[in-house]
Amino acid sequence: MRVVVIFHLVVSLGACFCASNHTNTVQENPIVTVNEGKLRGSMKTLLDRTPYYSFKGIPYAQPPIGELRFRAPLPPKPWQGIRDALEHGPVCPQYDTTISQFVEGSEDCLFVNIYTKSLQKNAKIPVMVYIHGGSFMSGSGDSDTYGPEYLFLHNVILVTLNYRLEALGFLCLDTPEVPGNAGIKDQVLALRWIKRNIAKFGGDPDNITIFGESSGAGAVTYHMLSPMSKGLFHKVIAQSGTAIADWAIGKDAVNRAFRSGKVLGKETNDKGELLAYFRSLPAINLANLTSKTSTAEENLRGLPEYFVPVVEKKFDGVEPFMTEDPVDAVLAKKYNNMPLLIGYNSAEGLIMLEYQLKKAEFMNKHPSYFIPREIAEKVEEQKLKSFGDRVKSFYVGNKSLSNDTAIEIINMQTDIHFGYNTHRFIQFYKDKDTPVYMYRFDYETDLNVVKNSIGLRHMKGACHADDLFYLFYNEFNKDYYNGQEKLREIVFKLTKLWTDFARTGNPTPDGSLGITWKPYSISKREYMKLNEQFSSGQYAERERIEFWDQLYCEAGRPCMNNKKCNL
């Protein structure tokens, strides 16, 4: 009965599994030939019994083991015979912060997963490549979290991927052998593989959208700025993150590498000796170094994300991913210009509330630690203290940070880590010829899995990562989705916005949802309020965003309204 109800909903909403995509005979165990050899996939069924094809655990690189540990990935080697692509490959070694446990996985973890409703080479279906979040230190592209069923209410192909995490992916020694950014170079190689092979799965290699959430959003906006990624994709969706956020830019990477050696038992000043030691260790020993190498300052300021993309030194014969600060790069218009859909959730800071309340007594006395690193490293101590006092006063007035000011704490954390730098990135990126669509996600339903699971259902707004459970089908949301028609309607509408953008570069190209999403302009700063009403607005959180812009200006950092700064 449940399947029948869902089938009728999909039909009534106009979801079309076009016949032209299924004229080929359905294959129980389809064989696809890619550049490296033959792959055997499997046939799966969607919620309405429509068939689709799944190819999991496809290697896009050689295993980065032994001497290849920490290096840029190498293309995969061909294989003989037919390789099964029936199950996910191992996840990359990591400390999973969501369960507070080490996950050993395997260093042989560089795989893509492809889900498609057609295997016709001329189908030219729009391709959506998802890059997972997890602070660059945990997660994978596996379907237990990122199932394709919701996006497959519309005609797209979904590709997910793994990439090396934390120290294994982002160790930097400022040497030709370990210049940094191996994990994001994994993503580049995956995109190159997809570009070469996706037509064999029915995909259009000239219509690829990359999208990601949190650190995944930081990654996709990094790819917009990197010459290494040029030509590999055509549109970008960035959810709750940008490359210019404090937490997305690595600092002091070499010293962190030596601190990592020390906590693991190797105290040395020699980079070669340190590298040899790191390569001698089991991979899982290199996980959770973020917490083990944090300084006292880092424990108080910003988010705990330190093994992240860095600005690379230039070396002969080494292709760099990024050689200048991402803020400078986007200001100088050194980016791959393309349509962008970008935004954040209305109450991102909900996920940080418990931690902020635990240290509220300290922060009441030392609010200067609310100031982002980008500012803190540029101003003298007295000015930093003044800035901190202004932040506290702006959000809570004469009150203290406490349970009584929880909403204000949530707003502050949302603005510091997500809201302001989303606005800032758009203002720096936008030009008259580039369509940008901004949103503010504000749904509050049973699909707000993160907010509800941390016991904050009673609080207003959408928590960090809540949006994922409206886009991907998984064990956490399937019972709610299957049991509530209202939620199925919401999921259909949201995934239509995302997939229409992937298809056309415009989230509302045909008006079929009864709305027109206006592109962002520098003067009006239009955005879409994503909630049950779907309404347009101008300049989200204006007073709060302009407060932070003034601080950045006064600190001498690039800001949105330089002419308004009182330097």
Side-chain angles (χ1 to χ4, degrees):
M1 176 60 71
R2 185 175 290 175
V3 170
V4 172
V5 171
I6 295 170
F7 175 76
H8 285 300
L9 171 76
V10 171
V11 172
S12 67
L13 289 172
C16 175
F17 301 98
C18 301
S20 62
N21 290 336
H22 295 286
T23 54
N24 53 318
T25 303
V26 174
Q27 305 172 53
E28 292 289 339
N29 294 110
I31 305 294
V32 169
T33 302
V34 297
N35 284 11
E36 294 78 25
K38 294 181 183 297
L39 291 166
R40 179 186 289 112
S42 59
M43 188 193 77
K44 306 287 187 180
T45 54
L46 297 171
L47 301 173
D48 70 337
R49 302 291 178 87
T50 301
Y52 74 94
Y53 300 109
S54 167
F55 292 81
K56 297 176 179 177
I58 306 171
Y60 67 81
Q62 293 178 35
I65 58 178
E67 291 299 305
L68 297 183
R69 183 183 281 183
F70 307 121
R71 288 187 174 180
L74 296 176
K77 294 180 178 178
W79 57 80
Q80 299 297 316
I82 299 174
R83 180 187 176 103
D84 280 338
L86 307 176
E87 304 292 339
H88 292 297
V91 302
C92 296
Q94 60 190 268
Y95 181 78
D96 188 337
T97 54
T98 63
I99 58 175
S100 299
Q101 290 182 9
F102 288 94
V103 180
E104 188 165 0
S106 170
E107 280 190 274
D108 185 4
C109 63
L110 301 185
F111 302 103
V112 296
N113 312 296
I114 300 175
Y115 310 102
T116 178
K117 291 185 284 184
S118 173
L119 293 175
Q120 291 188 48
K121 294 180 181 179
N122 61 351
K124 291 193 175 295
I125 303 171
V127 180
M128 299 184 72
V129 180
Y130 184 72
I131 298 177
H132 71 79
S135 303
F136 295 106
M137 67 181 293
S138 65
S140 74
D142 289 3
S143 58
D144 56 357
T145 302
Y146 304 112
E149 286 84 349
Y150 291 169
L151 292 169
F152 273 11
L153 293 169
H154 316 282
N155 193 34
V156 294
I157 286 175
L158 175 65
V159 184
T160 64
L161 56 94
N162 297 348
Y163 55 94
R164 282 173 284 177
L165 302 164
E166 210 189 23
L168 288 166
F170 296 94
L171 183 77
C172 173
L173 294 176
D174 278 347
T175 63
E177 199 167 29
V178 189
N181 296 331
I184 207 160
K185 290 175 183 177
D186 291 345
Q187 298 171 16
V188 173
L189 192 61
L191 291 172
R192 288 174 178 170
W193 190 96
I194 293 162
K195 178 86 171 173
R196 276 197 315 272
N197 290 289
I198 200 63
K200 294 152 188 175
F201 299 87
D204 186 351
D206 298 316
N207 192 3
I208 296 173
T209 298
I210 59 173
F211 68 127
E213 182 269 344
S214 194
S215 56
V220 298
T221 48
Y222 262 116
H223 287 298
M224 297 171 72
L225 304 176
S226 174
M228 183 182 270
S229 307
K230 187 174 183 179
L232 298 178
F233 55 94
H234 311 92
K235 306 176 193 72
V236 172
I237 302 173
Q239 303 169 216
S240 304
T242 76
I244 66 172
D246 244 25
W247 48 261
I249 305 172
K251 304 284 187 181
D252 199 29
V254 176
N255 284 334
R256 189 173 308 282
F258 281 107
R259 289 203 302 277
S260 298
K262 186 175 181 179
V263 301
L264 291 171
K266 185 68 174 182
E267 191 160 2
T268 178
N269 294 318
D270 184 273
K271 291 180 180 180
E273 188 177 355
L274 182 65
L275 176 58
Y277 180 70
F278 283 155
R279 284 182 172 154
S280 73
L281 296 174
I284 197 63
N285 289 24
L286 295 161
N288 203 28
L289 289 175
T290 293
S291 62
K292 295 175 182 177
T293 61
S294 298
T295 65
E297 163 84 4
E298 289 170 345
N299 285 331
L300 295 169
R301 190 183 310 282
L303 299 181
E305 302 186 25
Y306 311 120
F307 287 97
V308 299
V310 296
V311 177
E312 291 180 51
K313 285 189 174 182
K314 296 180 180 179
F315 299 104
D316 290 341
V318 177
E319 183 181 15
F321 179 79
M322 175 67 65
T323 58
E324 62 182 305
D325 187 288
V327 174
D328 296 334
V330 72
L331 273 174
K333 305 295 183 186
K334 295 180 180 179
Y335 47 67
N336 305 315
N337 202 347
M338 63 191 62
L340 171 66
L341 193 156
I342 184 170
Y344 55 92
N345 297 352
S346 59
E348 302 268 5
L350 278 164
I351 202 167
M352 302 165 226
L353 179 60
E354 182 181 3
Y355 175 70
Q356 290 298 321
L357 290 174
K358 284 181 179 178
K359 65 175 187 175
E361 184 178 353
F362 178 88
M363 296 302 283
N364 277 318
K365 297 176 182 177
H366 306 282
S368 63
Y369 284 103
F370 285 127
I371 304 303
R373 291 189 289 269
E374 184 181 343
I375 293 178
E377 65 188 16
K378 296 293 183 182
V379 300
E380 295 181 355
E381 185 175 350
Q382 191 59 38
K383 195 166 192 177
L384 185 62
K385 183 179 183 301
S386 171
F387 280 4
D389 291 338
R390 284 164 63 183
V391 169
K392 183 171 178 287
S393 177
F394 178 79
Y395 284 95
V396 302
N398 295 324
K399 299 178 182 178
S400 295
L401 303 161
S402 68
N403 277 309
D404 293 336
T405 54
I407 293 173
E408 289 79 7
I409 294 171
I410 292 164
N411 289 341
M412 181 200 302
Q413 296 299 309
T414 299
D415 298 342
I416 292 172
H417 302 298
F418 302 99
Y420 173 66
N421 273 303
T422 298
H423 282 265
R424 188 178 177 219
F425 185 90
I426 297 170
Q427 284 285 108
F428 292 171
Y429 174 76
K430 180 74 178 80
D431 64 36
K432 63 181 180 180
D433 298 321
T434 306
V436 174
Y437 297 91
M438 183 181 179
Y439 71 86
R440 181 176 178 270
F441 185 92
D442 194 32
Y443 272 100
E444 296 182 61
T445 77
D446 286 330
L447 294 182
N448 290 58
V449 169
V450 179
K451 181 175 80 167
N452 299 344
S453 68
I454 59 177
L456 296 176
R457 182 186 289 265
H458 61 286
M459 301 292 289
K460 290 290 185 182
C463 180
H464 186 64
D466 273 345
D467 50 327
L468 294 177
F469 300 92
Y470 293 76
L471 297 173
F472 297 101
Y473 185 74
N474 53 54
E475 291 294 321
F476 306 103
N477 60 18
K478 69 176 185 178
D479 289 341
Y480 297 120
Y481 177 84
N482 293 339
Q484 299 182 44
E485 181 175 344
K486 175 185 173 182
L487 296 182
R488 296 194 292 274
E489 292 173 354
I490 291 171
V491 165
F492 179 87
K493 291 177 181 178
L494 281 169
T495 53
K496 181 169 172 56
L497 293 173
W498 260 232
T499 55
D500 274 352
F501 177 80
R503 182 169 55 86
T504 69
N506 180 343
T508 56
D510 54 15
S512 62
L513 293 178
I515 57 171
T516 299
W517 191 331
K518 296 178 182 178
Y520 182 99
S521 66
I522 294 293
S523 58
K524 295 183 178 179
R525 309 190 189 195
E526 295 91 339
Y527 73 102
M528 181 65 72
K529 302 173 186 177
L530 295 180
N531 51 34
E532 293 188 36
Q533 282 72 45
F534 271 9
S535 59
S536 299
Q538 293 183 6
Y539 207 158
E541 281 80 48
R542 178 171 184 162
E543 182 182 4
R544 287 153 51 184
I545 298 305
E546 291 198 342
F547 169 79
W548 281 103
D549 203 51
Q550 182 68 26
L551 291 188
Y552 275 74
C553 286
E554 292 181 31
R557 297 303 298 150
C559 58
M560 299 186 294
N561 298 313
N562 286 292
K563 63 183 180 181
K564 296 183 179 179
C565 294
N566 300 315
L567 298 175

